[in-house]
Amino acid sequence: MGILKQNLAKKIPDWRYNYRQLLDEKGDHVTSTVTIEKAFSGMRGVKGIICDTSSVTADAGLHVRGHHILDLIHIKPEEVLYLMLIDELPDKKSLKALQQDLQARSEVPDYVWDVLNSMPKDSHPMAMFNTAILCMQKESKFAKAYELVVSKSDYWESTLDDGLNIIAKLPAIAAAVYRLRFNKGERIESNNDLDWSGNFLHMMGFDQSKDMLKMMQLYLMLHCDHEGGNVSTFSSLTVNSALSDPYYSLSAGLNGLAGPLHGLANQNNLKFVLEVVEHFKGVPSDKELKEFVWDRLNSGRVIPGYGHAVLRCPDPRFTAFMGFGNKHIKDCDVFSVVTKLFNIVPDILKQHGKAKNPWPNVDAASGSLLYHYGLKEFEFYTVLFSMSRSLGIVSQMVLSRAMGLPLTRPKSLTFDALNKL
Ligand code: HAX
């Protein structure tokens, strides 16, 4: 039995007891009220779903299992996965056991390469990545367990198996998408002496420079989770609540991450930054940059990487990336423009008067670091986000099955019904 299954099996009985007790004692407690305005505003602020892996506050951002994200920037993606699932950071032995478990599950079936090879050469990397996950659905342990009428209380075990099997394969799949889509040559075999992030860089064909490895570990850790209501996680969990297996559920949610208002904002942000550098043949003055930003806003376009549905402060994940960049990057026009944008965009958005949150989100800085280290194909960036977000989505699916959460089914109302209210 893998380390996560072993430790979850110890924790789940108490968690179930606590959930049941809360329901028995306070089940009729009101968490929020829903108004017509909320129904028309994408349910902003409606507290109607459960997420234990992380929480987001408007003024401080992401906390993973109670730890503020800026206190976790030294840990690896594998460690944050363990933390989200077990509610404790792993010791060295547990981390090693988890890494070995992932390595043992990492071989990708050959038919995945056939599927990727047969896709149109100009497919978006996100379409390729999500197709690769979906086409492995027949491997699902959960689907088989369900067919065999496994007890509902054990659903979490095969969900965890599926989730780990997918996570273990993501570095090879993402690296293959990168090499195929951007004509980088043959796939590179995995090196199982390396950790999840290191092996990924190796299979992408990048040198294992210490700084780049650190940057990739940070990138793949920081995007891991953002509570339960964001489009990708919410979509995955909704699909999973129908007892669709993790292959169906994860790929469904990641299709949402491919939207420009969500994860695709990282590619669009870097595209925008490159447009600035190209237009001014380098770093513009503050005045020039202000005009450029206003022109974009006045043409009805958003500033990618700014604004957020929940946050009302600079995203601490942005702060973490800027901290890394300020320490490691010198004389880079792209990073300088990102820094300048941070100095001028919030004031402009305040004057513009629409965005409720004028501050940068995670997508405003990440691309400039990737670009600096030579990963310049910005259409690929959301795939990296997806690798990381899969850690949180899988964790949330496992916990939902462990707690026996039911089918998600909010009630909708017609326009007429609302009028009659
Ligand atoms: N630039 C220009 N206008 C913006 C804006 C921005 N960065 N952010 C919000 N606005 C506008 C909205 O388009 C909206 O305009 P309309 O009333 O004309 O529709 C208005 O301000 C109110 O929006 P809001 O309530 O502040 O924001 P929402 O909760 O509706 O949306 C978004 C949040 C993140 C989608 C939004 O801020 C946005 O479009 N930002 C740019 C894209 C982006 O960076 N997305 C990534 C977000 C983080 C994430 O999920 N990463 O995966």
Side-chain angles (χ1 to χ4, degrees):
M1 197 191 279
I3 185 79
L4 288 174
K5 201 177 272 186
Q6 211 175 309
N7 289 344
L8 271 170
K10 287 184 207 150
K11 296 247 170 178
I12 286 172
D14 275 356
W15 289 344
R16 281 184 181 153
Y17 176 79
N18 292 340
Y19 265 56
R20 272 186 216 118
Q21 203 177 26
L22 181 71
L23 271 177
D24 284 350
E25 289 174 8
K26 300 193 175 155
D28 57 358
H29 200 91
V30 176
T31 56
S32 48
T33 45
V34 185
T35 57
I36 289 178
E37 192 198 349
K38 284 196 191 298
F40 274 104
S41 64
M43 295 188 283
R44 293 289 185 291
V46 176
K47 296 171 189 150
I49 48 177
I50 318 267
C51 169
D52 276 331
T53 51
S54 69
S55 57
V56 177
T57 58
D59 58 351
L62 175 63
H63 299 72
V64 180
R65 288 286 194 176
H67 301 261
H68 190 259
I69 191 69
L70 289 178
D71 296 330
L72 294 175
I73 53 178
H74 58 286
I75 70 171
K76 293 183 179 188
E78 298 94 312
E79 290 173 277
V80 86
L81 171 66
Y82 189 102
L83 173 63
M84 287 188 287
L85 276 166
I86 309 292
D87 193 16
E88 281 165 24
L89 279 162
D91 56 19
K92 273 194 178 157
K93 205 169 139 217
S94 305
L95 175 61
K96 188 82 203 147
L98 171 58
Q99 289 174 323
Q100 282 170 345
D101 190 13
L102 289 174
Q103 279 155 8
R105 296 167 184 269
S106 64
E107 194 167 330
V108 179
D110 275 342
Y111 62 78
V112 173
W113 310 135
D114 296 339
V115 170
L116 288 180
N117 279 322
S118 65
M119 288 183 76
K121 298 294 165 234
D122 56 352
S123 299
H124 194 280
M126 278 300 287
M128 298 172 79
F129 186 71
N130 293 346
T131 301
I133 295 173
L134 184 60
C135 82
M136 294 190 294
Q137 186 278 331
K138 77 181 194 66
E139 314 292 338
S140 173
K141 302 271 189 256
F142 176 87
K144 286 187 186 82
Y146 187 81
E147 279 297 304
L148 294 172
V149 202
V150 160
S151 157
K152 196 175 167 186
S153 61
D154 295 336
Y155 283 171
W156 68 269
E157 294 193 26
S158 48
T159 302
L160 178 66
D161 260 332
D162 280 355
L164 291 179
N165 283 337
I166 297 173
I167 288 170
K169 293 170 179 54
L170 295 183
I173 291 173
V177 167
Y178 177 71
R179 295 189 66 78
L180 182 64
R181 176 62 176 71
F182 300 105
N183 302 316
K184 301 287 178 184
E186 293 292 299
R187 270 187 295 113
I188 298 173
E189 284 303 310
S190 105
N191 174 352
N192 280 344
D193 292 335
L194 301 170
D195 66 14
W196 200 66
S197 319
N199 202 9
F200 171 54
L201 277 181
H202 158 76
M203 287 185 279
M204 296 260 291
F206 279 95
D207 285 342
Q208 299 282 306
S209 90
K210 213 172 157 207
D211 283 356
M212 181 158 192
L213 178 59
K214 274 202 170 133
M215 187 274 297
M216 192 52 79
Q217 283 169 340
L218 180 69
Y219 193 106
L220 295 176
M221 193 286 292
L222 279 180
H223 293 81
C224 64
D225 208 32
H226 218 229
E227 64 169 47
N230 64 80
V231 165
S232 48
T233 309
F234 185 63
S235 308
S236 281
L237 291 180
T238 302
V239 173
N240 192 241
S241 80
L243 301 186
S244 295
D245 62 57
Y247 293 85
Y248 282 128
S249 312
L250 181 64
S251 55
L254 295 181
N255 287 327
L257 198 67
L261 297 189
H262 196 10
L264 207 77
N266 61 8
Q267 84 163 47
N268 288 345
N269 176 272
L270 191 79
K271 198 168 160 210
F272 170 57
V273 171
L274 292 178
E275 274 165 27
V276 172
V277 174
E278 167 71 23
H279 183 84
F280 294 103
K281 304 281 173 262
V283 183
S285 68
D286 284 7
K287 185 170 173 288
E288 288 169 327
L289 191 56
K290 278 180 190 167
E291 278 169 19
F292 198 85
V293 169
W294 271 115
D295 283 350
R296 185 175 169 108
L297 285 172
N298 289 335
S299 68
R301 301 170 76 195
V302 298
I303 307 300
Y306 283 77
H308 201 273
V310 178
L311 296 174
R312 296 295 178 261
C313 66
D315 189 330
R317 300 168 299 173
F318 169 83
T319 309
F321 279 131
M322 291 304 280
F324 188 95
N326 284 323
K327 193 166 162 198
H328 295 277
I329 300 179
K330 305 273 173 277
D331 301 326
C332 169
D333 284 357
V334 168
F335 189 66
S336 300
V337 168
V338 166
T339 308
K340 248 181 199 282
L341 284 168
F342 177 44
N343 292 332
I344 69 151
V345 170
D347 280 343
I348 293 181
L349 284 178
K350 282 181 205 164
Q351 282 175 45
H352 186 240
K354 278 189 167 187
K356 293 190 188 68
N357 176 44
W359 301 108
N361 60 57
V362 64
D363 297 320
S366 55
S368 64
L369 303 195
L370 297 169
Y371 191 87
H372 174 77
Y373 285 105
L375 213 174
K376 300 195 167 172
E377 295 82 3
F378 51 76
E379 279 191 310
F380 186 70
Y381 291 176
T382 313
V383 171
L384 299 172
F385 194 151
S386 302
M387 284 177 68
S388 180
R389 184 50 59 88
S390 301
L391 305 174
I393 293 177
V394 163
S395 303
Q396 293 198 37
M397 286 195 284
V398 172
L399 297 180
S400 298
R401 297 287 66 77
M403 296 306 125
L405 296 184
L407 182 78
T408 302
R409 183 40 168 110
K411 177 86 183 91
S412 58
L413 291 166
T414 61
F415 190 69
D416 261 3
L418 286 172
N419 263 328
K420 282 178 192 145
L421 274 177

